[in-house]
Amino acid sequence: MTPYHAPLRDTRFVLEELLEHASLALPGFEDTSPELLDAVLEEAARLAAEVWAPLNLSGDRQGCRRQPDGSVTVPDGFIEAYQAYAEGGWNGIVVAEAEGGQGLPEVAASAVQEMLHGANMALGLCPMLTAGAIEALSHHGSDDLKARFLPKLIDGSWTGTMNLTEPQAGSDLSRVRTRAIPCAENEGEHYRLHGQKIYITWGEHEAAENILHLVLARTPDAPEGNKGISLFLVPKFLVEEDGTLGARNDVICASIEHKLGIHGSPTCTLIFGEGEGAIGYRVGELGRGLNHMFTMMNEARHKVGIQGIGVAERATQQALAYAAERRQGRAPGVRGGESTAIIDHFDVRRMLRSMRARTDALRALALYCAAQMDRARHHGDAATREAAQSRVDLLIPVVKAFSTDQAVDIASLGIQVHGGMGYVEETGAAQLWRDARIAPIYEGTNGIQALDLAGRKLARDDGAALDALIDEVVATAARLADTPELTAQGVALRGGAMDLRAAKAVVLAAGRDADQGTDAVQAYATPFLQLAGHVLCAWQMGQAALVAQDALAAGTDDWAFYRDKLVSADFALRHWLPVGRANRAVIEAGIDSLALVGIDH
């Protein structure tokens, strides 16, 4: 596997020139200068490249092992690499300084997360889930719980997990059966949990002193369905009143999964309450566990999209390096002489340009979403915060699903560039595809993300939030069309925007149809999300093209970067966007082929 280099230049381009450091102008970030942010990114890049990335291949080959006592051994070097991350203060990057964090904006955290996942996705999953636990506990925990548990999560001494899935309850969490029984008054204000949770990422390990499990469970008198589910915090080791660790709680890792990829990440089956019951503390209100957990889930879904982008970046770097070295055949128009590097062949160039253009577009959209998250949390005007949150809600399913689907395809193209060497494990190209393949599945499958977008997010305001976003896409298309060098790109982007608006109308109308509304929205959801992803990514590359064209016209010293950005934007708008626009025709074709008998069982 080739060395990993964090994409600092393109990250700076997005933050400085596309987003214009808008997050730094918000209340609370007055002391965060562009120079400070740049220094943070430089240090994160060093950690990713020098400490985390070298362990990616060895971690994949060594994997994790469950010991007879239920403990789990992670690959060599992972504990030290995690501790270097924690000691650097990265766990609390967006947490306020008064609470022990760095107090940086979400765009900074997202950029750092991409670097870490590009360097080592299996290891990156551990702090990613901890960040979600911090978010959930900060929003919904009592003052006592926050005082007792948050500081150690923020400084990275303890890690967090998310416990939803059970053998009979996958995506349908209404079937959760784990029980939380209130303790007697003389025992204290806590519960004893009994049940089993599966697919728990980093559910057991020795990289941190303690693990805090956020667990969905039912109290004895809870009603059936989603309204009967509450959220509980269950520590691996009990925590005394003075903050010191006490006895081991009644929770154990029964097994770890043997997976297609992310071998360095222990995916555990956890048993709660084989004895008297695992002691847990209620987080938030009774019966609102799913609502509270979704605070953590939304954080995780955005970061899973970022995770996919990190792997796509590494796959692109690896494919470019291999194509520049591998010699085979001759360049077009050349006869005789030595063979040429395969990067000179146009079919290979097509694959490489597709990988680069798509990765850059996905990064820009994910960081734009992160900037909207900053706006929703910190802007001084309530109406502006509300509008930004509506946009975040709309974008998160796109960032999660579209980025991860694209990452799998980009990693697959990376294997194709390597030819036969990509299909063997020696080069590491196959590992990137194997690792990326889980991302469209966990934190809500991409089909669920599509249903969330086309069903819930679109219907709740009759498409108003999406209309506002499409208006901005159309405005960018007009600017492109008015720029002589970019007119064709503007025409392409406007066409994509019109397709998305037309498809939105079809999906909304289908949802109102009393006879087949639910079925139609389900049928249209994935092509609709794919269309939205293509158009919104093309919009970001259209913005990039305008910036790059201005820089070139001004005589920039970084000519090669801006010229390459223009080429990638042209590819995204005129080669890649047309593929996505075909989803309008898919939606307008209707659902008869899905409704007809033929695949029933």
Side-chain angles (χ1 to χ4, degrees), residues 313-355:
E313 173 63 35
R314 188 160 197 183
T316 300
Q317 290 184 19
Q318 174 131 346
L320 282 164
Y322 183 82
E325 294 177 359
R326 171 66 169 163
R327 306 188 73 82
Q328 185 168 296
R330 289 174 177 80
V334 176
R335 296 184 178 182
E338 294 184 2
S339 59
T340 186
I342 63 172
I343 199 170
D344 291 331
H345 299 300
F346 269 63
D347 188 57
V348 175
R349 288 189 177 190
R350 175 189 59 79
M351 291 188 283
L352 294 172
R353 180 56 64 185
S354 177
M355 295 171 76

Side-chain angles (χ1 to χ4, degrees), residues 552-573:
L552 290 170
T556 176
D557 293 334
D558 201 354
W559 184 90
F561 173 82
Y562 290 105
R563 179 60 186 165
D564 193 69
K565 185 62 68 178
L566 267 184
V567 174
S568 282
D570 182 68
F571 185 95
L573 286 156

Side-chain angles (χ1 to χ4, degrees), residues 175-465:
R175 301 178 65 192
V176 162
R177 294 176 185 164
T178 297
R179 294 173 296 130
I181 302 171
C183 293
E185 288 187 12
N186 62 344
E187 290 184 358
E189 191 177 345
H190 56 258
Y191 295 72
R192 290 190 181 271
L193 274 70
H194 300 265
Q196 181 187 68
K197 296 290 183 178
I198 62 174
Y199 304 148
I200 309 306
T201 300
W202 282 82
E204 172 60 34
H205 60 86
E206 303 295 332
E209 299 169 356
N210 203 2
I211 304 171
L212 304 183
H213 304 292
L214 286 173
V215 185
L216 291 180
R218 296 181 183 280
T219 53
D221 56 351
E224 293 297 317
N226 292 338
K227 291 184 179 179
I229 299 173
S230 300
L231 180 63
F232 300 87
L233 186 153
V234 181
K236 173 182 173 180
F237 290 102
L238 299 178
V239 180
E240 306 295 346
E241 292 295 332
D242 62 0
T244 59
L245 296 184
R248 176 71 188 251
N249 206 354
D250 189 7
V251 54
I252 190 165
C253 173
S255 65
I256 60 173
E257 302 297 338
H258 302 280
K259 309 182 295 291
L260 177 69
I262 54 169
H263 294 154
S265 171
T267 305
C268 304
T269 295
L270 297 183
I271 305 295
F272 296 86
E274 278 199 324
E276 295 183 353
I279 291 176
Y281 308 90
R282 180 162 53 84
V283 178
E285 301 175 39
L286 275 174
R288 291 184 56 81
L290 273 182
N291 305 73
H292 300 335
M293 184 66 91
F294 267 99
T295 302
M296 189 174 186
M297 285 284 283
N298 277 330
E299 168 73 18
R301 285 173 173 176
H302 181 256
K303 294 306 179 291
V304 169
I306 296 281
Q307 182 182 85
I309 298 163
V311 177
E313 173 63 35
R314 188 160 197 183
T316 300
Q317 290 184 19
Q318 174 131 346
L320 282 164
Y322 183 82
E325 294 177 359
R326 171 66 169 163
R327 306 188 73 82
Q328 185 168 296
R330 289 174 177 80
V334 176
R335 296 184 178 182
E338 294 184 2
S339 59
T340 186
I342 63 172
I343 199 170
D344 291 331
H345 299 300
F346 269 63
D347 188 57
V348 175
R349 288 189 177 190
R350 175 189 59 79
M351 291 188 283
L352 294 172
R353 180 56 64 185
S354 177
M355 295 171 76
R356 170 49 60 213
R358 287 193 278 170
T359 300
D360 289 358
L362 293 166
R363 175 181 299 117
L365 184 63
L367 290 177
Y368 173 81
C369 180
Q372 291 295 311
M373 293 165 79
D374 286 327
R375 192 174 175 87
R377 294 168 183 170
H378 299 283
H379 199 280
D381 177 66
T384 301
R385 291 196 302 273
E386 183 178 350
Q389 187 60 53
S390 293
R391 185 158 292 187
V392 169
D393 293 342
L394 195 70
L395 287 172
I396 280 181
V398 179
V399 169
K400 192 280 182 184
F402 192 66
S403 298
T404 55
D405 279 343
Q406 292 294 314
V408 171
D409 194 50
I410 290 167
S412 180
L413 272 182
I415 294 173
Q416 191 71 19
V417 170
H418 284 73
M421 289 302 295
Y423 198 67
V424 299
E425 295 290 350
E426 180 181 335
T427 59
Q431 181 197 338
L432 297 173
W433 181 86
R434 288 189 289 102
D435 286 351
R437 190 59 191 84
I438 184 59
I441 298 172
Y442 57 21
E443 304 304 343
T445 65
N446 284 358
I448 289 173
Q449 306 303 314
L451 287 168
D452 181 42
L453 175 67
R456 185 177 300 110
K457 301 298 172 53
L458 201 61
R460 71 180 182 184
D461 63 357
D462 204 35

Side-chain angles (χ1 to χ4, degrees), residues 32 85 120-121 132 171 206 261 288 336 361 447-449 465 475 525 543 545-546 572 579 590 599:
T32 306
Y85 166 90
N120 194 323
M121 176 177 165
S171 299
E206 303 295 332
R288 291 184 56 81
I448 289 173
Q449 306 303 314
Q543 300 270 62
L546 289 165
V579 176
I599 56 173

